[in-house]
């Protein structure tokens, strides 16, 4: 090949100057794009990490404990019972002939409520009267015989043994008369129960017997025929927690309210207390009494009873949600100056629903976390939110 042909080989061809410049620019742009992409991604990662770190710091709201007053209302549920109440069962077996008083009827002591037909008892009374007549006749004969034998004994016409036998027969016959009289009296006493009467003055609160019903000991699954209650006074029974049992004294007053008359508080007085703690409920049963002239209070009903009890010095009140319940005891959470959680052990007094009393471990100068999360821990970093109490 000639020299001219060798000059036309590719490795000897020189690119134009404009094309080289364009390649350099393109390479620089590519480098800038890659660098910007790496920068943007790194910035996004840092922003995401900062956001995650910020979200991991819990926001808490603080609240001030409140000093309890000199006295506080202990409000507990109570059940009401009549001053006197009686469920009246049939004492004798028979059938209801009629009834005179229905529910709501006022009755006096001894007022007839209903009547029972007692055919079996009536026949027993007839038999007992006949037995009494027979034993009286036998006793009269035995006495006459004994008298004659005693007269004959004076003339030695009969032996002492025979006279003694006649005297013993007379005594036995006399005892039989007394027995027959007692049996008749017992049956007549039962017959008196055929008229069912109110044991005391009050109101008929139940009537479970209808005409023709079989009542008394012979009835299947016997039910009380009537119930009578004295509503002029009402007993109220309240279960007081053990920690307040020492403050329950006879003569202490309380305020009584009922759902059907919310705006009419009534005064009740402690009448007695059980002087023993129920091991099942951990409470002391307290009995109160109040007058009920208008019969507004109903036996068996519910009442809300409030006692005004003195509060010991140093007691504070906090929201119930502020308590942190852990294995080491009850605590509340505070926030240190550098924004970390510090848990303080406290002693809880009375639970009042929305709030609880703290008897020791907390002062009003320390703000506490209002609603701490269940996962809150000692030393955890937090930030304080607005609208603190």
């Amino acid at each position: 090949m000639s020299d001219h042909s060798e000059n036309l080989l590719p490795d000897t061809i020189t690119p134009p100057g404009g094309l080289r410049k364009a390649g350099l620019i393109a390479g620089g742009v590519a480098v800038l794009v890659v660098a910007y992409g790496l920068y943007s991604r790194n910035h996004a990662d840092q922003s995401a990490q900062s956001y995650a770190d910020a979200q991991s710091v819990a926001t808490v709201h603080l609240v001030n404990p409140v000093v309890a007053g000199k006295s506080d209302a202990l409000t507990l549920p109570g059940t009401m019972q009549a001053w006197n109440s009686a469920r009246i069962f049939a004492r004798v077996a028979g059938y209801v002939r009629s009834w005179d008083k229905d529910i709501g009827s006022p009755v006096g002591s001894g007022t007839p409520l209903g009547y029972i037909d007692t055919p079996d008892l009536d026949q027993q009374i007839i038999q007992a009267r006949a037995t009494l007549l027979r034993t009286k006749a036998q006793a009269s004969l035995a006495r006459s015989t004994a008298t004659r034998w005693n007269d004959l004994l004076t003339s030695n016409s009969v032996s002492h043994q025979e006279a003694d036998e006649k005297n013993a027969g007379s005594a036995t016959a006399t005892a039989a008369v007394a027995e027959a009289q007692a049996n008749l009296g017992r049956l007549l006493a039962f017959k008196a129960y055929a008229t069912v009467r109110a044991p005391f003055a009050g109101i008929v609160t139940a009537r479970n017997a209808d005409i023709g019903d079989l009542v008394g000991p012979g009835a299947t699954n016997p039910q009380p025929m009537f119930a009578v209650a004295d509503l002029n006074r009402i007993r109220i029974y309240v279960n007081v927690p053990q920690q307040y049992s020492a403050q329950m004294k006879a003569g202490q007053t309380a305020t009584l309210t009922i759902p059907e008359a919310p705006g009419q508080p009534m005064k009740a007085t402690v009448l007695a207390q059980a002087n023993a703690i129920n091991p099942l409920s951990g409470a002391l049963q307290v009995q109160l009494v109040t007058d009920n002239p208008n019969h507004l209070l109903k036996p068996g009903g519910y009442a809300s009873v409030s006692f005004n009890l003195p509060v010991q010095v140093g007691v504070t009140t906090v929201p119930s949600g502020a308590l942190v319940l852990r294995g080491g005891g009850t605590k509340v959470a505070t926030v240190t100056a550098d924004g970390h959680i510090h848990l303080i052990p406290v002693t809880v007094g009375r639970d009042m629903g929305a709030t609880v009393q703290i008897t020791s471990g907390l002062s009003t100068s320390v703000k506490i976390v209002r609603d701490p999360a269940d996962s809150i821990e000692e030393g955890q970093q937090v930030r304080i939110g607005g609208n603190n109490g």
Side-chain angles (χ1 to χ4, degrees):
M1 299 179 67
S2 63
D3 295 337
H4 179 71
S5 298
E6 291 177 358
N7 293 331
L8 296 177
L9 292 175
D11 57 351
T12 62
I13 298 174
T14 302
L19 183 59
R20 178 181 295 178
K21 185 178 180 179
L24 292 174
I25 294 173
V29 171
V31 171
L32 290 175
V33 170
V34 172
Y36 179 76
L38 293 175
Y39 171 78
S40 299
R41 182 173 181 178
N42 183 60
H43 180 72
D45 291 342
Q46 291 179 351
S47 299
Q49 184 63 41
S50 299
Y51 178 78
D53 292 342
Q55 292 300 312
S56 65
V57 177
T59 300
V60 296
H61 300 276
L62 303 181
V63 65
N64 280 45
V66 178
V67 178
K70 294 183 179 180
S71 63
D72 198 10
L74 173 64
T75 303
L76 298 168
T79 56
M80 296 182 289
Q81 294 184 13
W83 182 252
N84 289 312
S85 61
R87 298 189 304 160
I88 305 171
F89 288 82
R91 184 68 177 85
V92 294
Y95 299 91
V96 177
R97 181 171 81 239
S98 63
W99 49 266
D100 287 352
K101 302 296 181 181
D102 207 347
I103 58 172
S105 301
V107 294
S109 179
T111 299
L113 304 177
Y115 303 91
I116 303 173
D117 281 330
T118 58
D120 293 342
L121 179 60
D122 293 343
Q123 292 301 316
Q124 292 176 20
I125 292 174
I126 293 173
Q127 181 182 4
R129 282 176 172 154
T131 299
L132 179 60
L133 291 176
R134 175 174 56 80
T135 56
K136 284 183 176 180
Q138 292 173 345
S140 177
L141 177 60
R143 283 193 300 271
S144 299
T145 302
T147 300
R148 287 194 296 271
W149 247 249
N150 289 331
D151 291 341
L152 294 173
L153 182 60
T154 58
S155 60
N156 294 321
S157 298
V158 295
S159 66
H160 286 279
Q161 177 68 28
E162 291 175 320
D164 290 342
E165 290 176 354
K166 299 304 179 182
N167 288 327
S170 176
T172 301
T174 301
V177 172
E179 180 182 2
Q181 287 177 331
N183 184 54
L184 177 61
R186 178 181 64 84
L187 295 175
L188 291 176
F190 270 112
K191 181 62 178 180
Y193 289 113
T195 300
V196 182
R197 300 179 182 275
F200 48 79
I203 302 293
V204 177
T205 58
R207 179 185 62 82
N208 302 314
D210 285 313
I211 295 175
D213 284 350
L214 175 63
V215 295
T220 302
N221 190 23
Q223 297 290 327
M225 293 181 62
F226 300 90
V228 177
D230 179 2
L231 305 184
N232 292 324
R233 302 183 80 191
I234 293 291
R235 304 177 193 265
I236 305 98
Y237 291 92
V238 180
N239 290 324
V240 177
Q242 181 178 351
Q243 64 194 83
Y244 302 102
S245 60
Q247 302 181 54
M248 295 294 108
K249 307 291 185 182
Q252 181 179 352
T253 60
T255 302
L256 178 73
T257 58
I258 54 177
E260 58 266 37
Q264 302 181 40
M266 290 161 276
K267 294 295 182 182
T269 304
V270 174
L271 186 64
Q273 49 120 325
N275 282 310
I277 302 298
N278 187 323
L280 299 179
S281 63
L284 172 76
Q285 188 178 56
V286 176
Q287 180 186 181
L288 301 94
V289 63
T290 184
D291 292 331
N292 188 33
N294 299 323
H295 297 173
L296 181 61
L297 304 177
K298 302 296 189 294
Y302 162 85
S304 179
V305 182
S306 296
F307 299 91
N308 285 327
L309 302 178
V311 178
Q312 66 188 71
V313 177
V315 173
T316 58
T317 302
V318 301
S320 299
L323 300 181
V324 179
L325 305 177
R326 297 291 167 82
T330 305
K331 301 178 181 179
V332 294
T334 63
V335 181
T336 62
D338 58 352
H340 291 82
I341 290 294
H342 176 54
L343 299 178
I344 302 176
V346 294
T347 302
V348 177
R350 183 160 62 92
D351 186 345
M352 297 176 288
T355 60
V356 293
Q357 288 183 348
I358 303 298
T359 58
S360 65
L362 184 65
S363 67
T364 56
S365 61
V366 178
K367 287 192 173 184
I368 63 173
V369 178
R370 185 171 56 198
D371 293 299
D374 294 338
S375 59
I376 198 167
E377 296 289 346
E378 176 73 25
Q380 177 182 342
Q381 184 178 1
V382 294
R383 63 169 175 265
I384 300 174
N387 298 325
N388 296 312

